[in-house]
């Protein structure tokens, strides 16, 4: 029931984030925003001006990738920029200047970028040295033995284990055209004569009889470069294993768009330098690229631009009784996939991708079903559809339950704890993102930046924050209303500042109303601004802001001063109902 002319109060206690409703701003709920820039929504639905960031490294080149964390027991700050790899300000080595992915495995960092596959163990940086497979065991000197490990796409070297018969001096290898031969008898290096054209090795005296007591390592000459390039031309990765990460899956090779290569165990040990030539998965049509691999529980979700598959660890037994690990693929969805390469995230165990429909969360990946993909971004579809999402760089900021989607200098954030969206506009383009130990780092066209909640600028540039509500009718769109007073409750800050104004269906406020407050901190002491209103208690501020005879009202909040923070707890609007709209 309403009473004409009698004031009543409507309060925004919860700010509900951005809703770019296509049917109009009059459809928004109280607390939803039609426009947001550089405000974030906290876990408890408060309006918080975005904190700042600062430069920590200046390579003066586009930062392609960042990896910050512990390598073994050592803290490292690794990034790739301008064709060089750095740890802090120390240059480690060179690498092709292109899209780069970094992953950690067995206390080493690995770098893959479509041109090279490199590693750094904390001391030495360089091209990955491929594992040398033992291709035959229990081999007779005549070359008859048991196949053991497949050849490695990353290495031209092979090892053959022989069982000496005590009389033979000539040992036959399974290949001709060989070089760089090393022979060991019972673990001791022994001189031999090599005949490359026949693939034979001759000892000066016959090795003593034994079982697998002679090992010969050799290089196969003239191996096509395309074999190694099958691995080095990939750009993206996903680590995977049942209990632990035991393999890395690589994709993004433009010469084999739908192919995924996966590493294996070398001598029984997980080894991401060992890629048998048979370890690959072809997913769907060869003309359509694999764009993402994301891990969920015991399976991998494999995305293309507009379709998705899944694969999982599946041991089978071959005709010789040997166990072989396979990764068969199964169709999951023929309508949704991933447009931003290598940018899938796992949010609260839901794989999250981006396609032409928006942000997709995969709810059930146990079987093929068009209903297993849920579009979560309807409220911000206008934002996504007006930008090139193939350029998106994403991050899961787990500490705040925030999913970041960056395109150039803009970031769309989805708080998946309270289901709110908001956007930021930075002073720099985002070229790479990384989070570690609660901190956010990003690479720009020239620098590495780090966010800090105590900072109030974007590396010295003003953070210009704005929030626009929807056109709200206070439950009676057919009645005229008059607004007289606002009470705006702010969380205490050392320095806080905001402006408020309105727009109605009739007119707009001509003058912004300002609120400025600061505590008694000598760091900011300025007698010209001195006020006794300086406590650290949460405080409502009374603002006289009058709007007459409106049907719909939109509030606008801005904060555009350097060094000032702002957290809005609530807004109470005093209004009075009048006659009917004519």
């Amino acid at each position: 029931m309403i009473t004409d002319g009698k004031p009543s109060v409507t309060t925004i206690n919860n700010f509900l984030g951005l809703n770019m409703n296509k049917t109009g701003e009059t459809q928004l709920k109280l607390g939803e925003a039609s426009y947001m820039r550089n405000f974030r929504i906290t876990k408890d639905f408060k309006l918080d001006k975005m904190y700042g960031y600062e430069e920590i490294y200046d390579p003066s080149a586009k930062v392609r990738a960042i990896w910050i964390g512990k390598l073994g027991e050592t803290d490292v700050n690794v990034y790739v920029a301008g064709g060089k790899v750095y740890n802090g300000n120390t240059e480690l080595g060179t690498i092709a200047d292109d899209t780069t992915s970094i992953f950690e495995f067995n206390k080493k960092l690995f770098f893959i970028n479509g041109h090279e596959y490199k590693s750094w163990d904390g001391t030495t940086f360089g091209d990955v040295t491929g594992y040398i497979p033992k291709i035959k065991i229990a081999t007779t000197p005549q070359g008859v033995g048991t196949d053991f490990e497949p050849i490695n796409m990353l290495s031209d070297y092979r090892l053959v284990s022989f069982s000496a018969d005590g009389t033979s001096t000539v040992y036959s290898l399974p290949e001709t055209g060989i070089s760089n031969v090393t022979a060991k008898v019972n673990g001791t290096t022994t001189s031999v004569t090599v005949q490359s054209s026949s693939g034979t090795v001759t000892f000066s005296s016959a090795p003593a009889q034994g079982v697998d007591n002679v090992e010969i390592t050799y290089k196969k000459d003239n191996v096509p470069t395309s074999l190694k390039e099958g691995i080095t031309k990939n750009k993206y990765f996903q680590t995977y294993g049942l209990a632990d990460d035991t393999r890395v899956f690589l994709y993004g090779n433009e010469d084999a768009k739908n192919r995924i290569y996966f590493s294996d165990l070398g001598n029984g040990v997980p080894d991401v330098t060992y890629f048998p030539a048979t370890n690959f998965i072809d997913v769907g049509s060869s003309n359509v690229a694999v764009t993402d691999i994301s891990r969920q529980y015991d399976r991998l979700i494999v995305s293309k631009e507009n379709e998705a598959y899944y694969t999982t660890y599946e041991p089978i037994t071959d005709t010789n009784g040997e166990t072989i690990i396979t990764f068969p693929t199964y169709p999951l969805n023929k309508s949704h996939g991933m447009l931003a390469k290598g940018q899938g995230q796992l949010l609260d165990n839901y794989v999250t991708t981006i396609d032409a429909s928006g942000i997709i969360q995969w709810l059930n990946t146990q079987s093929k079903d068009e209903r297993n993909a849920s579009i979560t971004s309807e409220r911000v579809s206008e934002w996504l559809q007006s930008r090139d999402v193939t350029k998106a760089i994403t991050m899961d900021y787990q500490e705040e339950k925030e999913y970041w989607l960056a395109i150039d200098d803009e970031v769309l954030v989805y708080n998946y704890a309270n289901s709110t969206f908001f956007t930021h506009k930075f002073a720099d383009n985002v070229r790479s993102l990384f989070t570690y130990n609660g901190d956010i780092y990003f690479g720009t066209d020239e620098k590495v930046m780090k966010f800090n909640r105590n900072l109030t600028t974007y590396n010295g540039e003003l953070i210009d924050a704005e929030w626009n509500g929807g056109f709200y009718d206070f439950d009676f769109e057919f009645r005229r209303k008059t607004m007289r007073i606002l009470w705006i409750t702010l969380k205490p800050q050392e320095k806080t500042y905001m402006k408020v104004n309105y727009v109605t269906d009739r007119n707009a406020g001509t003058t912004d109303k300002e609120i400025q407050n600061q505590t008694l901190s000598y760091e900011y002491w300025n007698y010209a601004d001195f006020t006794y209103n300086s406590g650290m208690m949460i405080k409502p501020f009374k603002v006289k802001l009058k709007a007459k005879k409106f049907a719909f009202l939109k509030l606008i909040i801005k904060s555009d001063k350097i060094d000032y923070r702002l957290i809005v707890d609530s807004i109470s609007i005093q209004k009075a109902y009048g006659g009917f709209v004519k």
Side-chain angles (χ1 to χ4, degrees):
M1 180 178 179
I2 62 174
T3 303
D4 290 352
K6 185 176 181 180
S8 61
V9 174
T10 297
T11 300
I12 304 173
N13 282 313
N14 291 331
F15 293 87
L16 304 177
L18 185 61
N19 186 350
M20 304 171 77
N21 193 302
K22 292 182 179 180
T23 58
E25 296 180 26
T26 60
Q27 304 302 308
L28 271 57
K29 300 175 184 176
L30 184 67
E32 287 187 323
S34 59
Y35 176 79
M36 287 182 71
R37 181 187 68 244
N38 292 330
F39 274 115
R40 56 187 294 272
I41 305 297
T42 65
K43 291 179 181 179
D44 56 350
F45 298 99
K46 304 310 176 186
L47 191 65
D48 182 12
K49 183 179 179 181
M50 184 57 181
Y51 45 89
Y53 59 77
E54 63 185 347
E55 168 195 331
I56 57 172
Y57 301 113
D58 181 11
S60 299
K62 183 185 290 188
V63 180
R64 300 287 191 172
I66 301 172
W67 196 95
I68 293 176
K70 280 191 176 294
L71 192 60
E73 299 301 319
T74 304
D75 292 313
V76 299
N77 295 264
V78 174
Y79 55 97
V80 178
K84 297 179 180 179
V85 180
Y86 299 86
N87 177 28
N89 290 314
T90 302
E91 182 182 331
L92 303 178
T94 60
I95 194 169
D97 187 16
D98 204 343
T99 299
T100 303
S101 299
I102 307 174
F103 66 92
E104 187 271 339
F105 201 94
N106 286 345
K107 299 181 180 180
K108 283 186 179 182
L109 290 185
F110 290 85
F111 306 76
I112 188 86
N113 66 358
H115 306 273
E116 300 157 298
Y117 187 31
K118 299 202 171 192
S119 66
W120 183 58
D121 61 5
T123 302
T124 303
F125 175 83
D127 291 324
V128 164
T129 300
Y131 169 77
I132 300 176
K134 185 180 291 187
I135 60 174
K136 282 184 176 293
I137 58 173
T139 309
T140 66
Q142 293 73 36
V144 179
T146 302
D147 291 341
F148 188 62
E149 292 178 326
I151 63 171
N152 184 2
M153 296 174 69
L154 282 176
S155 178
D156 297 341
Y157 285 82
R158 299 90 157 94
L159 186 154
V160 179
S161 179
F162 291 88
S163 294
D165 58 11
T167 59
S168 299
T169 57
V170 177
Y171 281 64
S172 296
L173 295 169
E175 296 176 288
T176 60
I178 60 173
S179 61
N180 293 5
V181 175
T182 300
K184 291 183 178 181
V185 178
N186 295 318
T188 301
T189 301
T190 304
S191 296
V192 291
T193 301
V194 178
Q195 183 63 46
S196 175
S197 59
S198 62
T200 57
V201 174
T202 302
F203 292 86
S204 58
S205 60
Q209 185 176 5
V211 177
D212 283 322
N213 62 328
V214 176
E215 289 188 340
I216 299 177
T217 303
Y218 66 94
K219 179 185 178 184
K220 169 60 180 172
D221 294 333
N222 301 317
V223 174
T225 58
S226 59
L227 190 67
K228 186 175 183 179
E229 287 174 350
I231 302 304
T232 60
K233 284 190 173 183
N234 292 286
K235 289 187 176 182
Y236 310 101
F237 77 94
Q238 180 59 258
T239 54
Y240 175 66
L242 290 182
D244 300 301
D245 291 338
T246 56
R247 302 171 190 264
V248 65
F249 289 66
L250 301 179
Y251 61 103
N253 185 333
E254 290 297 323
D255 294 338
K257 294 181 178 180
N258 71 323
R259 181 163 290 185
I260 301 168
Y261 294 92
F262 58 93
S263 64
D264 213 318
L265 310 184
N267 198 26
V269 178
D271 194 333
V272 296
T273 73
Y274 183 29
F275 287 86
T278 54
N279 279 24
F280 65 87
I281 309 165
D282 285 339
V283 183
S285 169
S286 61
N287 296 323
V288 183
V290 170
T291 53
D292 187 73
I293 303 176
S294 294
R295 183 174 55 184
Q296 184 183 47
Y297 302 117
D298 63 343
R299 62 190 54 210
L300 294 175
I301 310 305
V302 181
S303 297
K304 293 189 163 191
E305 288 186 1
N306 57 6
E307 58 183 334
Y309 299 77
Y310 73 89
T311 184
T312 189
Y313 178 99
E314 193 170 302
I316 61 172
T317 302
D318 66 11
T319 55
N320 296 321
E322 298 292 330
T323 299
I324 300 174
I325 304 304
T326 65
F327 295 91
T329 58
Y330 305 96
L332 185 63
N333 191 292
K334 290 296 184 180
S335 300
H336 296 292
M338 179 59 148
L339 290 175
K341 293 180 180 179
Q343 297 301 318
Q345 298 291 343
L346 189 66
L347 311 180
D348 279 349
N349 291 321
Y350 294 134
V351 170
T352 303
T353 59
I354 317 153
D355 68 9
S357 301
I359 298 172
I360 308 299
Q361 289 202 290
W362 297 87
L363 306 181
N364 176 14
T365 58
Q366 299 300 313
S367 60
K368 182 180 179 181
D369 191 331
E370 297 304 309
R371 296 168 296 180
N372 54 22
S374 174
I375 303 171
T376 63
S377 56
E378 291 94 341
R379 283 168 284 165
V380 291
S381 60
E382 181 181 323
W383 193 96
L384 289 166
Q385 290 170 6
S386 63
R387 289 157 178 83
D388 183 3
V389 297
T390 64
K391 296 166 56 179
I393 298 169
T394 69
M395 177 187 70
D396 177 16
Y397 185 34
Q398 295 183 10
E399 285 74 8
E400 292 291 340
K401 300 287 186 180
E402 291 179 355
Y403 167 74
W404 286 36
L405 189 158
I407 302 175
D408 295 329
D409 62 349
E410 298 180 290
V411 179
L412 175 68
V413 181
Y414 172 52
N415 186 314
Y416 53 92
N418 59 24
S419 189
T420 58
F421 287 92
F422 42 95
T423 66
H424 303 310
K425 187 171 180 61
F426 298 154
D428 302 271
N429 291 323
V430 177
R431 301 308 185 198
S432 50
L433 274 168
F434 195 80
T435 178
Y436 172 69
N437 203 25
D439 292 319
I440 299 173
Y441 303 82
F442 77 98
T444 74
D445 292 316
E446 294 185 335
K447 306 175 188 298
V448 178
M449 304 290 189
K450 180 181 179 181
F451 281 91
N452 186 324
R453 292 179 183 274
N454 295 319
L455 296 176
T456 57
T457 67
Y458 289 153
N459 201 36
E461 297 293 325
L462 170 71
I463 301 176
D464 187 2
E466 182 173 342
W467 178 93
N468 294 358
F471 280 109
Y472 190 61
D473 63 4
F474 297 89
D475 298 324
F476 295 94
E477 63 181 20
F478 53 87
R479 299 295 298 267
R480 292 176 179 169
K481 278 81 68 175
T482 297
M483 176 181 70
R484 295 183 174 89
I485 297 172
L486 300 176
W487 287 275
I488 302 177
T489 302
L490 305 181
K491 293 286 182 71
Q493 306 289 326
E494 285 187 338
K495 296 177 72 176
T496 192
Y497 172 79
M498 66 168 284
K499 297 185 291 190
V500 62
N501 213 327
Y502 71 87
V503 176
T504 73
D505 54 299
R506 292 173 59 90
N507 57 27
T510 57
T511 305
D512 293 336
K513 300 294 183 178
E514 296 182 310
I515 298 174
Q516 182 168 315
N517 188 50
Q518 65 187 72
T519 61
L520 289 172
S521 170
Y522 288 105
E523 181 181 357
Y524 300 116
W525 193 275
N526 186 331
Y527 287 98
D529 293 336
F530 184 79
T531 173
Y532 287 100
N533 184 19
S534 303
M536 285 297 287
M537 298 293 291
I538 189 168
K539 179 177 176 59
F541 293 84
K542 182 179 179 180
V543 179
K544 293 181 179 180
L545 188 64
K546 192 169 185 178
K548 297 180 179 180
K549 297 182 179 181
F550 61 84
F552 296 93
L553 173 77
K554 173 196 288 192
L555 290 180
I556 300 173
I557 294 172
K558 297 180 180 180
S559 184
D560 56 3
K561 277 192 174 184
I562 286 180
D563 293 335
Y564 285 80
R565 296 279 293 120
L566 176 65
I567 302 178
V568 182
D569 185 79
S570 65
I571 300 175
S572 294
I573 307 165
Q574 185 191 77
K575 82 286 181 189
Y577 293 96
F580 292 95
V581 173
K582 295 181 180 179

